[in-house]
Amino acid sequence: MNNQITLKINQVTKSFTGLDQPVLNNINLTVKAAQKIAITGVSGSGKSTLLHLMAGLEKPDNGQITILNKDLTTMKSNDLCALRNNSLGFIYQFHHLMPDFTALENMMMPLTIRGNLTKKHNTQLSLIVKKLGLEKRINHYPHELSGGERQRISIGRAIITSPDIILADEPTGNLDNKNANKVFDLFLELAEELETSIILVTHDLSLAKKMNKIYNLTQGKITAT
Ligand SMILES: Nc1ncnc2c1ncn2[C@@H]1O[C@H](COP(=O)(O)OP(=O)(O)OP(=O)(O)O)[C@@H](O)[C@H]1O
Ligand SMILES: [Mg+2]
């Protein structure tokens, strides 16, 4: 693991109207290249809010969030879109696959958006499809796939661009234990091969323990456990 900093959160605060205290209160966090961290916390503690800020989908009230030394909080929206496409992958609890596109088209979507599909990408795509055990399901539509297959497609979509960092919000939360572990281990293998940093939000301590470090989010503060 090299010591390059992939993501840095500096004194970040975020409040929502209607809540009597900030969801995130002066948070600091540093994630290095290829480092894997888990964030746990009770429902409503602000885990998804934190991931959305890291993805530049929302802005903090105060503080800076940098990915590869670029500050998301001051970036123009075009630059932010490019950074997201080049450096970030996101896996959601309920996959967010596009219903009118096949599994393959969904998986390739970040590359299609980029508009520069190369031979190298095709080779990588075949490897990922094989690794995820999806060869026979790749031309099906999301509604024709099982929950585990959909989740594997959404992992493939997040990893296809070899991002610097993957933000995963309960990526196997809707699967049974056995499948969750299987799918998660495939995800870890791929991320390790590509030296991708992972920020995993999970309620599942057995998955959290597979990370290098576990943090807990409580009452707006984040602490290493
Ligand atoms: N856009 C919003 N407007 C107002 N309040 C919000 C908004 N988004 C989140 N909240 C509130 O902020 C708090 C944190 O929400 P968040 O979704 O980050 O929690 P979480 O830790 O991800 O919970 P869960 O484990 O249930 O997914 C909650 O009280 C939620 O209702
Ligand atoms: Mg959440």
Side-chain angles (χ1 to χ4, degrees):
M1 196 183 292
N2 72 42
N3 272 336
Q4 197 193 349
I5 291 173
T6 311
L7 176 134
K8 193 170 168 75
I9 292 187
N10 182 34
Q11 300 279 327
V12 160
T13 295
K14 178 76 180 172
S15 302
F16 290 117
T17 44
L19 298 178
D20 42 359
Q21 55 181 13
V23 175
L24 305 172
N25 193 354
N26 271 322
I27 298 265
N28 294 301
L29 183 70
T30 302
V31 182
K32 292 182 184 156
Q35 193 183 16
K36 303 187 287 281
I37 70 153
I39 299 174
T40 59
V42 297
S43 180
S45 58
K47 305 180 297 296
S48 294
T49 303
L50 183 57
L51 280 195
H52 293 158
L53 293 175
M54 290 172 180
L57 298 170
E58 287 184 56
K59 293 234 184 275
D61 306 335
N62 288 302
Q64 294 86 38
I65 299 167
T66 54
I67 291 185
L68 302 173
N69 283 326
K70 291 180 200 134
D71 187 352
L72 303 188
T73 52
T74 54
M75 215 175 248
K76 287 199 197 107
S77 74
N78 278 355
D79 296 336
L80 188 56
C81 284
L83 179 87
R84 228 185 260 140
N85 187 260
N86 287 320
S87 302
L88 277 181
F90 210 107
I91 308 173
Y92 301 88
Q93 178 172 1
F94 295 104
H95 59 78
H96 286 213
L97 295 176
M98 293 195 236
D100 297 332
F101 291 87
T102 64
L104 184 66
E105 288 164 344
N106 266 288
M107 211 187 256
M108 283 172 49
M109 197 56 74
L111 296 175
T112 310
I113 290 169
R114 248 186 221 191
N116 68 341
L117 196 60
T118 63
K119 242 187 179 162
K120 183 181 138 240
H121 289 132
N122 275 325
T123 313
Q124 189 169 344
L125 182 70
S126 312
L127 284 175
I128 291 176
V129 168
K130 194 158 177 235
K131 184 119 203 170
L132 292 171
L134 288 164
E135 296 102 316
K136 296 202 173 121
R137 312 302 293 151
I138 205 71
N139 291 317
H140 288 267
Y141 289 86
H143 75 271
E144 298 169 328
L145 302 172
S146 73
E149 286 165 347
R150 286 180 210 158
Q151 231 30 13
R152 280 182 274 154
I153 297 288
S154 85
I155 287 168
R157 178 182 56 185
I159 217 154
I160 192 73
T161 56
S162 309
D164 299 288
I165 190 159
I166 290 188
L167 307 172
D169 198 351
E170 296 281 3
T172 55
N174 61 339
L175 302 179
D176 60 77
N177 253 347
K178 199 172 142 214
N179 258 306
N181 263 296
K182 241 163 97 179
V183 170
F184 192 74
D185 287 344
L186 282 173
F187 167 47
L188 277 188
E189 273 177 46
L190 280 170
E192 269 163 24
E193 275 169 29
L194 297 169
E195 299 193 336
T196 301
S197 308
I198 297 174
I199 300 183
L200 166 75
V201 160
T202 186
H203 285 108
D204 185 338
L205 213 56
S206 71
L207 299 186
K209 282 182 178 156
K210 297 182 187 204
M211 305 289 98
N212 306 124
K213 218 165 177 180
I214 304 177
Y215 290 90
N216 185 262
L217 193 56
T218 306
Q219 303 210 317
K221 297 286 184 195
I222 195 163
T223 41
T225 63

